[in-house]
Amino acid sequence: MKVEFARDDLNKALSVIIPFITFGKDVLAEKNLLRMKFAHGMGIQLDYSNLESYVSSFVKNENVKEWNKGSVLVKASVASKILSSFFSEEMVLNFSDSQLTITDKNNQHKIHLRYEDNDFVEDVGGPFKNIVPIDSSVFQKFLTYGEPFVAVDSTAPALMCIRILNDEKSLSMTALDGTKISYSKELPTKNKIDILIPGRIAGSVKKVLPKTGNINLSQEGNSIYFWNSDFTIKILPYVGKYPDMNEFLTTIPLPYFTTTVGDLKRAMDILDLVGQDLSLESHYKNLFRFFAVGENVLMSLCGENNQSEITIGRKVQGLENFIEIAFDKSNIIDFLSLYTPETEVTFSKISIIGRPHPFFEIRSSSDINTVLIFSQTVV
């Protein structure tokens, strides 16, 4: 069977699959396959599967005919690169009984790919019973704000995930790694869901989300599905109990001071250079402190030999007791990087009964429903 495709149409379908493909010599061949499945008079469905995800997208073409094979398998890492970067804007796919031949319309370039004999995983499930529609831009924001803050390695697998929760109160995202918490919420959508998305594939999901429209979320059995009319993504979630965040998220914060992202990052960069000049001990690296002098809030390095200070803001009017804040730069820099230099951010103190050290939160003026919570660093 021979079918002509526009490279852009193939690229659109492949753009959903490529972020999930595992490249490298150590990849198990039977777990790294691209299936091309034929639908008479409609087009070709592209399916990819690895150990933890299944992705499906569709290339429309009414000239696709019935074929006795029904579908073929090729190596995903090879085929995806060739198809997405082929010489010609128009390409012809010729499916014989033994191999796939890719040529341009003038037959000047010709590539042969052999079929694989391995079994492929089961098809994506459906129809879905519990469908939770989420605005694609909101889902993109949740993954962007959550991905940097999941634990990279933890004895509690749930901490390596982004939690998406939709209940009668809100649609929310939570990510934490034991020292800091990223939390964002929106108005609730229909139907309840409480899922854990592994942090290591959040970036792949984020790359395929459309800029507009809705993405549907469903949980069926042990699988989570993200889907719309163009593609379906199936992943295997982590199973585990997520920590109770009520003690943090229901606490009323006490505002301390407001500054801008640009001023704060600039102050940290300058003080970093001062620290290099002072040759601070390694355990003081990346450690800073906020303290008040009169109405002003100053920032300096942590360390006995440091006398450099930078004024970055003013105390909130009427605030009498300002507790000095010692913090690790790595706890807040990812959060600050989500905003423009002109964005105002407010630092507030959170007091939680039974916790030996105070917690603080950062909230931006451009998105008051998103917050980063971090603990006081003991110096």
Side-chain angles (χ1 to χ4, degrees):
M1 181 175 63
K2 184 183 295 186
V3 190
E4 185 177 315
F5 284 98
R7 187 177 61 190
D8 288 347
D9 291 341
L10 275 170
N11 275 338
K12 182 180 178 181
L14 286 167
S15 67
V16 176
I17 291 175
I18 287 176
F20 293 87
I21 294 177
T22 306
F23 296 93
K25 295 180 179 179
D26 58 341
V27 179
L28 294 174
E30 65 271 19
K31 299 299 182 182
N32 196 32
L33 299 174
L34 179 68
R35 179 174 65 178
M36 309 181 81
K37 187 177 180 181
F38 310 100
H40 180 70
M42 297 178 64
I44 294 181
Q45 179 177 314
L46 303 181
D47 300 323
Y48 171 75
S49 174
N50 59 25
L51 292 173
E52 62 181 4
S53 60
Y54 180 104
V55 192
S56 180
S57 60
F58 198 78
V59 190
K60 296 179 181 178
N61 190 316
E62 62 184 16
N63 295 319
V64 171
K65 308 299 182 184
E66 292 284 3
W67 191 40
N68 62 336
K69 272 187 171 292
S71 65
V72 296
L73 298 174
V74 291
K75 288 184 178 178
S77 55
V78 175
S80 62
K81 287 185 176 181
I82 292 174
L83 291 170
S84 62
S85 60
F86 197 66
F87 303 97
S88 173
E89 293 184 0
E90 300 289 335
M91 64 181 76
V92 178
L93 304 186
N94 189 0
F95 299 91
S96 70
D97 286 341
S98 59
Q99 66 182 6
L100 165 62
T101 303
I102 308 168
T103 65
D104 62 306
K105 291 179 67 173
N106 299 321
N107 209 30
Q108 291 180 325
H109 311 288
K110 186 179 294 185
I111 302 295
H112 298 286
L113 294 178
R114 65 183 178 88
Y115 299 146
E116 300 293 321
D117 295 326
N118 297 289
D119 293 331
F120 198 75
V121 297
E122 77 282 358
D123 287 350
V124 167
F128 304 108
K129 298 177 182 178
N130 186 52
I131 301 173
V132 179
I134 298 180
D135 185 282
S136 184
S137 63
V138 170
F139 195 33
Q140 179 97 23
K141 170 187 150 182
F142 280 177
L143 296 179
T144 299
Y145 285 44
E147 186 182 7
F149 304 103
V150 297
V152 177
D153 186 17
S154 176
T155 54
L159 297 187
M160 300 168 67
C161 299
I162 299 171
R163 183 190 193 188
I164 304 294
L165 172 66
N166 187 59
D167 56 22
E168 64 277 0
K169 297 179 181 178
S170 64
L171 169 66
S172 65
M173 176 282 303
T174 309
L176 70 157
D177 67 358
T179 61
K180 52 189 177 294
I181 305 163
S182 177
Y183 177 78
S184 185
K185 67 177 181 179
E186 299 285 340
L187 293 175
T189 183
K190 67 177 183 179
N191 296 327
K192 295 182 179 181
I193 200 167
D194 187 357
I195 59 175
L196 300 180
I197 303 174
R200 66 174 176 270
I201 68 169
S204 298
V205 175
K206 188 171 61 174
K207 288 178 182 177
V208 307
L209 295 177
K211 295 181 180 179
T212 59
N214 279 347
I215 291 295
N216 298 306
L217 270 65
S218 296
Q219 183 166 17
E220 305 289 336
N222 293 326
S223 300
I224 297 173
Y225 299 88
F226 312 103
W227 54 280
N228 64 8
S229 59
D230 294 324
F231 65 83
T232 301
I233 300 170
K234 169 187 172 182
I235 65 170
L236 300 177
Y238 281 131
V239 178
K241 184 174 176 57
Y242 209 77
D244 184 7
M245 295 289 101
N246 285 334
E247 63 177 344
F248 295 99
L249 303 177
T250 59
T251 302
I252 299 176
L254 174 65
Y256 260 30
F257 68 95
T258 299
T259 185
T260 67
V261 170
D263 286 346
L264 187 53
K265 293 176 75 172
R266 191 178 302 112
M268 287 192 289
D269 289 343
I270 292 173
L271 291 173
D272 270 337
L273 294 172
V274 173
Q276 294 176 27
D277 181 59
L278 293 175
S279 299
L280 291 176
E281 296 178 44
S282 59
H283 61 275
Y284 285 124
K285 186 177 181 181
N286 287 333
L287 297 184
F288 299 89
R289 66 188 183 106
F290 297 132
F291 60 98
V293 177
E295 295 300 313
N296 293 322
V297 176
L298 282 69
M299 180 177 172
S300 72
L301 292 164
C302 291
E304 298 177 357
N305 299 323
N306 173 57
Q307 296 181 340
S308 299
E309 302 167 350
I310 297 177
T311 300
I312 60 165
R314 293 177 64 83
K315 288 194 307 183
V316 171
Q317 189 173 2
L319 179 66
E320 296 181 0
N321 299 317
F322 186 103
I323 297 177
E324 180 178 307
I325 307 174
F327 67 97
D328 191 318
K329 173 183 175 181
S330 62
N331 280 347
I332 70 171
I333 193 64
D334 286 330
F335 185 81
L336 297 177
S337 298
L338 298 171
Y339 300 103
T340 62
E342 299 78 22
T343 303
E344 285 193 346
V345 287
T346 299
F347 283 75
S348 303
K349 174 176 171 289
I350 301 175
S351 296
I352 300 176
I353 297 175
R355 297 277 179 163
H357 305 293
F359 287 80
F360 299 90
E361 71 164 38
I362 315 174
R363 194 182 298 263
S364 80
S365 59
S366 64
D367 185 5
I368 61 173
N369 288 323
T370 299
V371 61
L372 176 72
I373 299 171
F374 63 98
S375 62
Q376 170 86 296
T377 299
V378 179
V379 181

